């Protein structure tokens, strides 16, 4: 299985256009050693030729330019992306669909029923794109049953509903339904190796923990270091958990969970918010992750499973 990190940042990216936090300002003026990150997306392939795009980031066009494997040139208008899977209906995971409207046929789009509902009402993507390439909806089952994606050879997929949150524009914000957010296991049919991908994970429920323990690589929520990160900065009145993200530090935090995974599991944080001190490569927080064998995803990172 080939995994390419297209965008390792959370909503807003890094640096965020209007942000003057220590990280964003420090990246701009060169006083913080860090790398810019685009918004949340990965591409996965079984054969290196036919790819699934997970999430359509607002930065998708730059991400596609940065990864030539996604450019097929079999005909005048072409792509190596066979299908798009959405983890949720958030702006940072869906806005890129507007940018992909020149596709020559309806996009095979995989998402849950609650996400489709939000993308038909509060954010009317389905109706709008009906005037362009159209979206061909395939329902992602949330009962952990396996599904396959046509023309994507050698990979099987299964999804779990996560306790996270619905998008701010959704009528279900703060009252999320099962399927507003999912984590996905991708299994390589030939090797049996598994990726678990969950960029927005608010709480470690038993089924999620089981999926993480079964995976060879976990690519999970790295949004915030502390639960009160945005409050302490004065950037938002919300705790990380209210936004659907489990912070890394502290009791019950992501680091403690990752420490309990089997020794051979590759542990990678993704969807990193621009305020998170782990983005500073010289920070104590980053050193702590390294000491725990936890990696921080960056744009262009490749993982072979
Ligand atoms: C989130 O995951 O909470 C989002 O990135 C927030 C946003 O896009 O504004
Ligand atoms: Mn997000
Ligand atoms: Zn910032």
């Amino acid at each position: 299985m080939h995994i390419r990190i297209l965008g390792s940042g959370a909503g807003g990216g890094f640096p965020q256009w209007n942000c003057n936090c220590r990280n964003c300002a420090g990246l701009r003026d060169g006083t913080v050693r860090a790398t810019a990150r685009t918004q949340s997306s990965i591409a996965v392939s079984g054969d290196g030729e036919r790819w699934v795009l997970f999430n359509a980031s607002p930065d998708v066009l730059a991400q596609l330019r940065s990864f030539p494997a996604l450019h097929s040139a079999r005909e005048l208008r072409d792509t190596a992306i066979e299908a798009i899977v959405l983890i949720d209906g958030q702006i940072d995971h869906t806005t890129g669909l507007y940018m992909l409207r020149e596709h020559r046929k309806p996009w095979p789009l995989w998402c849950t029923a609650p996400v489709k509902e939000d993308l038909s009402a509060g954010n009317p993507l389905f109706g709008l794109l009906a005037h362009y390439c159209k979206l061909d909806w395939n329902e992602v089952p949330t009962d952990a049953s396996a599904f396959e994606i046509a023309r994507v050879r050698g990979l099987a997929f299964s999804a779990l509903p996560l306790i996270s949150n619905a998008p701010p524009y959704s009528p279900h914000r703060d009252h999320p339904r099962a399927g507003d957010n999912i984590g996905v296991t991708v299994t390589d049919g030939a090797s049996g190796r598994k990726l678990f991908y969950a960029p927005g994970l608010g709480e470690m429920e038993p089924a999620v923990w089981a999926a993480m323990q079964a995976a060879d690589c976990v690519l999970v929520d790295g949004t915030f270091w502390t639960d009160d990160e945005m409050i302490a900065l004065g950037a938002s009145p919300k705790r990380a958990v209210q936004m659907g993200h489990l912070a890394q530090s502290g009791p019950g935090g992501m680091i403690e969970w990752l420490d309990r995974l089997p020794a051979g599991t590759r542990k990678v944080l993704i969807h990193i918010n621009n305020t998170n001190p782990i983005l500073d490569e010289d920070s104590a927080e980053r050193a702590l992750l390294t000491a725990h064998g936890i990696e921080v995803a960056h744009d262009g990172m490749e993982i072979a499973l």
Side-chain angles (χ1 to χ4, degrees), residues 28-45:
R28 283 190 206 100
D29 70 15
T31 56
V32 168
R33 195 164 65 91
T35 309
R37 283 166 165 84
T38 62
Q39 297 169 78
S40 190
S41 177
I42 67 171
V44 180
S45 175

Side-chain angles (χ1 to χ4, degrees), residues 10-11 40 88 90 92-93 245 271:
S40 190
D88 57 36
Q90 296 261 16
D92 59 341
H93 288 160
H245 300 293
H271 190 274

